[in-house]
Amino acid sequence: MKYLYLLGACGSIGTQTLDIVRNHPTEYTVIGMSVGSNLDLAKKLIMEFKPKIVCFRKMEHIFSIEYNPIVTYGDEGLLQVARYHQFENEWLVNALVGVAGLEPTVEAIKTRKHIALANKETLVVAGDIIQQLIQEYQVTLLPIDSEHSAILQCLRGEDDRQIKKLIITASGGSFRNKSREELEEVTVQDALNHPNWQMGSKITIDSATMMNKGFEVIEAHYLFQIDYDKIHTILHPESIVHSMVEFQDGSVKAQLGVSDMRIPIAYALAYPNHTETKVQELNLLDLNLHFSFLSKKRYPCLEFAYYAAQKGGLYLAVLNASNEAAVHLFLKEKISFLEIEHIIKKEIYKKEYERDSICSLEERISVGREVYKNILKEYGEIL
Ligand code: MG
């Protein structure tokens, strides 16, 4: 039995994780859960899975629950769920959005929970620190992301020294058929309309700007301990080949599957096993796969991510914070789509963040917060 603490239970990854749990009641039990502002869904999920500890987003969201679990709320509540400890084989499934997911991951590792990570920002901002903690506390961290799940599967049984490169595929997001000029006019609704994947709004925008792929390059660097010059990206509009690994002898391994997040979720939960997911079967006869060059000129956010990754330290915190602020402003219709890139670019090439390349977790979080707040303030958004 694996005992799960699911952060972000009401979101896209959260509900799909619970779908897997529903199908495997003898393998997984939900012990902790954090829920968002969709209170009807929260009520339904809490009553169905009856976790022992529940974290609400805000105090005013708390409702009475008849079986009396421990109830908490806010950022501190997330840490309480991450810290809660009762069993041996405990897993934190982190499906939170944004840098809010970072500290709960750290806290969970310190209570010796294994991590199934869908929260990208954890590794983007603090991949080096998380890797050290994993070593120190002897826990496992597995990705919940189709690309990293693909690489993980391709690397099973292989010798890392024989890897020539990782090839991460990108669907191209909602605007893949638009030129830079055409991007001037696009709306929030257009951006949220992803052709292949049903995802939360932040990650759908990150896919449209390609920052999502930039984040995935950084995550791959930390997850698989591979140099950045060996991590390549390629456009693959069908999202069927989820990523590839090329080896020294010219052999290329790929993992294929339908675009359904329940596959990488199930693999992270059952690793190294492949369990029943009830997803649609991949029909090879229907496939017509395409690959093309992914241009950093067309998608400058990818360039920003590689730049910040090479600089390291505070630059990764700044990359994430400026992106989080810009995406927030875009979703609130305060800025245009292309302004997302301008905001990040303005922040990321500042020299002042060079002061500290091996900075503490606290410093990264506080610099990130400062950058986020300043950008929002500049656009008249009150926190
Ligand atoms: Mg992905």
Side-chain angles (χ1 to χ4, degrees):
M1 178 66 77
K2 286 184 178 170
Y3 299 96
L4 308 183
Y5 295 78
L6 174 59
L7 302 184
C10 296
S12 171
I13 297 289
T15 50
Q16 294 182 81
T17 300
L18 292 172
D19 203 32
I20 304 286
V21 172
R22 240 176 237 125
N23 290 334
H24 298 274
T26 56
E27 279 148 69
Y28 311 115
T29 304
V30 179
I31 303 296
M33 196 186 259
S34 89
V35 294
S37 23
N38 182 347
L39 297 181
D40 288 338
L41 180 60
K43 195 168 243 169
K44 201 176 139 257
L45 296 178
I46 292 166
M47 288 319 292
E48 181 181 352
F49 292 93
K50 297 199 169 52
K52 292 176 189 293
I53 177 165
V54 178
C55 172
F56 289 87
R57 180 167 294 168
K58 292 179 179 165
M59 194 168 74
E60 57 266 35
H61 289 168
I62 297 175
F63 49 75
S64 71
I65 305 166
E66 52 198 55
Y67 70 90
N68 282 328
I70 300 168
V71 169
T72 175
Y73 68 93
D75 289 346
E76 182 49 41
L78 293 174
L79 297 181
Q80 252 177 281
V81 175
R83 231 180 261 142
Y84 193 82
H85 174 65
Q86 265 203 330
F87 301 96
E88 273 314 302
N89 196 9
E90 293 186 324
W91 284 76
L92 179 83
V93 181
N94 189 340
L96 293 171
V97 178
V99 76
L102 173 54
E103 285 175 289
T105 308
V106 171
E107 208 60 33
I109 295 172
K110 289 182 176 171
T111 50
R112 297 189 194 276
K113 287 186 186 65
H114 303 289
I115 310 289
L117 190 65
N119 175 263
K120 291 167 190 256
E121 294 80 358
T122 291
L123 287 180
V124 169
V125 175
D128 49 346
I129 295 173
I130 296 293
Q131 280 306 338
Q132 282 167 14
L133 287 169
I134 285 168
Q135 296 289 328
E136 189 182 336
Y137 290 91
Q138 294 288 303
V139 297
T140 307
L141 183 147
L142 295 170
I144 294 185
D145 200 343
S146 58
E147 294 79 358
H148 303 100
S149 183
I151 295 168
L152 186 68
Q153 294 177 57
C154 292
L155 287 178
R156 270 190 77 188
E158 301 291 357
D159 182 338
D160 288 356
R161 289 167 301 184
Q162 292 160 8
I163 300 168
K164 199 165 170 192
K165 59 176 182 263
L166 309 183
I167 306 160
I168 300 181
T169 55
S171 71
S174 13
F175 301 139
R176 63 192 180 199
N177 297 323
K178 290 198 188 307
S179 66
R180 297 277 311 161
E181 291 69 44
E182 287 171 311
L183 291 179
E184 312 245 353
E185 303 298 324
V186 297
T187 65
V188 172
Q189 270 323 306
D190 299 333
L192 288 177
N193 205 358
H194 195 285
N196 306 356
W197 296 95
Q198 292 297 319
M199 306 180 289
S201 52
K202 159 92 171 26
I203 187 169
T204 304
I205 304 302
D206 285 346
S207 296
T209 63
M210 210 48 88
M211 184 57 92
N212 182 52
K213 212 47 54 181
F215 282 178
E216 289 179 356
V217 166
I218 298 165
E219 289 180 275
H221 168 76
Y222 291 114
L223 281 167
F224 306 109
Q225 309 281 310
I226 304 271
D227 291 343
Y228 284 111
D229 58 4
K230 288 184 178 173
I231 308 176
H232 296 222
T233 53
I234 193 167
L235 270 176
H236 168 47
E238 292 84 14
S239 296
I240 295 293
V241 175
H242 296 301
S243 278
M244 294 169 264
V245 180
E246 185 177 329
F247 296 91
Q248 296 297 349
D249 58 3
S251 176
V252 179
K253 271 167 99 172
Q255 184 263 346
L256 285 74
V258 293
S259 320
D260 191 317
M261 282 308 291
R262 285 174 297 176
I263 300 176
I265 295 168
Y267 191 64
L269 294 183
Y271 180 83
N273 299 311
H274 294 275
T275 53
E276 175 62 57
T277 55
K278 301 201 166 108
V279 306
Q280 189 197 326
E281 211 171 295
L282 179 66
N283 186 352
L284 292 167
L285 298 177
D286 280 350
L287 293 187
N288 187 8
L289 305 180
H290 298 84
F291 298 93
S292 58
F293 177 66
L294 178 50
S295 161
K296 294 191 184 98
K297 282 209 172 67
R298 167 63 180 79
Y299 293 106
C301 283
L302 189 59
E303 178 77 49
F304 305 153
Y306 271 100
Y307 176 81
Q310 298 290 356
K311 300 287 260 185
L314 288 178
Y315 280 89
L316 289 166
V318 172
L319 175 77
N320 180 65
S322 56
N323 182 60
E324 253 179 67
V327 172
H328 174 86
L329 290 169
F330 174 67
L331 286 171
K332 291 235 154 168
E333 298 182 318
K334 300 257 173 181
I335 60 167
S336 71
F337 182 74
L338 286 177
E339 273 175 288
I340 298 175
E341 293 167 1
H342 298 156
I343 287 173
I344 301 165
K345 188 177 182 183
K346 207 171 115 193
E347 208 58 44
I348 204 73
Y349 291 111
K350 285 181 180 168
K351 290 270 180 282
E352 64 192 76
Y353 304 121
E354 261 163 23
R355 64 179 187 266
D356 217 344
S357 64
I358 317 167
C359 44
S360 68
L361 189 68
E362 293 70 30
E363 202 178 341
R364 293 179 206 201
I365 291 170
S366 86
V367 168
R369 255 185 213 142
E370 212 43 39
V371 167
Y372 183 87
K373 266 200 295 198
N374 288 341
I375 294 171
L376 258 52
K377 214 158 65 190
E378 205 182 316
Y379 288 85
E381 203 32 21
I382 302 147
L383 281 177

